[in-house]
Amino acid sequence: MDNVLSFTRGRVPLLISMPHPGTRLTPAVEAGLVDEARELADTDWHIPRLYDFAGELGASVLAAQYSRYVIDLNRPADDKPLYATATTGLYPETLFDGRPLYREGMTPSKEERARYLAEVWTPYHRTLADELERIRAEFGYALLWDAHSIRSQIPHLFEGRLPDFNLGTNAGASCDPELAARLEAVCGKAESYSHVLNGRFKGGHITRHYGQPQRNVHAVQLELSQRNYMDESAPFAYREGLAAPTREVIRALLETLLAWGQERYGR
């Protein structure tokens, strides 16, 4: 399998991970999908575009090219559940709304899925881990921002409407509490938006596994409500009028992240 990820190395101690914007499908997955799944509704649409200012900040950027329907890069390799509530696994078999993802008898084989683990999941995580270690070796610390988005209303996963900005730090375990407080303060100043820290989305495998403050690696997940930058129904159009002010808040969050690191570590 080729073109499984895109990666740009930056010049500051920040890596932005984007595990779910991909739309590529393998032949086995594409052949088995139910008609309702073919629009790829559960994609983190337009995330690379929303964060296209990352180069100006000097951040490293890692983005997946394959759909989460092939393999979910934000789940552990052993597929251990991350949430007690409804969720999807390493190899999703349902849509976010709970409907089956595949036609009966058409799920990819065990051997096919083992290939996805080896050729999609592993390269992404190897790149992520290597870049964090490179950053930590150069600066003495590393900052990881895991960038996600999701529809604002999915009754199968959560009640009501999701807050606009959902920050996750694995209930405080993946980053310094002072950093989390500063990020929450940025959201608090964005009066047009709602926010929550460690609400429904506390961070998936990437945040939980790589966030190790004791090793000076601090990880934060942002689950952004898609109503703030795009149409939430097909064809999922990007809406610049909504996106522009949302991008400013995201940029302020990342600038705060970098400023905290410089203040804390002196570089």
Side-chain angles (χ1 to χ4, degrees):
M1 299 172 70
D2 58 357
N3 298 321
V4 299
L5 58 85
S6 65
F7 173 65
T8 303
R9 178 165 292 166
R11 62 181 186 276
V12 300
L14 170 62
L15 170 60
I16 301 173
S17 162
M18 305 175 180
H20 293 149
T23 56
R24 298 190 68 187
L25 299 172
T26 65
V29 170
E30 186 170 15
L33 292 178
V34 298
D35 290 342
E36 296 85 351
R38 295 186 179 279
E39 61 186 20
L40 307 181
D42 299 334
T43 302
D44 290 10
W45 293 103
H46 311 298
I47 287 294
R49 180 176 180 180
L50 193 66
Y51 282 80
D52 65 6
F53 60 86
E56 299 173 17
L57 298 181
S60 298
V61 179
L62 173 63
Q65 301 300 305
Y66 275 87
S67 170
R68 69 189 306 158
Y69 292 168
V70 174
I71 189 168
D72 193 331
L73 301 176
N74 203 26
R75 297 294 183 267
D78 64 5
D79 204 15
K80 183 178 180 179
L82 298 177
Y83 293 95
T85 52
T87 187
T88 54
L90 180 66
Y91 304 107
E93 295 197 7
T94 63
L95 295 163
F96 280 176
D97 62 13
R99 291 179 296 171
L101 185 62
Y102 292 101
R103 290 179 285 136
E104 187 174 355
M106 293 294 290
T107 57
S109 67
K110 181 179 178 180
E111 293 74 19
E112 185 79 4
R113 286 177 165 177
R115 189 165 69 92
Y116 304 160
L117 182 65
E119 299 183 17
V120 180
W121 191 99
T122 296
Y124 189 92
H125 283 270
R126 183 186 300 120
T127 304
L128 198 163
D130 288 350
E131 179 63 3
L132 286 177
E133 284 305 303
R134 183 200 67 81
I135 290 172
R136 195 170 73 96
E138 179 176 347
F139 295 94
Y141 69 102
L143 305 169
L144 172 61
W145 185 266
D146 206 37
H148 297 259
S149 72
I150 194 170
R151 295 193 303 279
S152 61
Q153 297 187 67
I154 306 179
H156 184 66
L157 297 184
F158 49 82
E159 295 182 0
R161 195 175 81 183
L162 196 68
D164 298 318
F165 284 81
N166 299 266
L167 297 171
T169 64
N170 191 21
S174 70
C175 80
D176 187 283
E178 172 61 23
L179 172 56
R182 292 193 187 186
L183 295 173
E184 197 173 15
V186 171
C187 290
K189 292 178 182 178
E191 297 181 355
S192 298
Y193 301 93
S194 58
H195 75 278
V196 67
L197 174 64
N198 292 315
R200 169 60 178 82
F201 297 97
K202 297 178 174 63
H205 173 67
I206 291 172
T207 303
R208 301 180 194 203
H209 179 73
Y210 295 100
Q212 301 177 38
Q214 70 278 9
R215 298 183 64 245
N216 298 326
V217 180
H218 303 268
V220 179
Q221 175 180 291
L222 174 61
E223 190 77 68
L224 177 67
S225 174
Q226 291 178 342
R227 66 187 294 270
N228 295 290
Y229 72 96
M230 58 172 277
D231 289 334
E232 295 188 295
S233 57
F236 309 111
Y238 187 87
R239 297 180 59 186
E240 184 60 40
L242 293 174
T246 302
R247 282 161 49 94
E248 291 304 309
V249 180
I250 296 172
R251 183 166 188 146
L253 287 166
L254 296 180
E255 290 174 342
T256 298
L257 188 71
L258 287 166
W260 176 86
Q262 292 177 337
E263 181 181 318
R264 170 70 180 272
Y265 295 99
R267 56 185 306 194

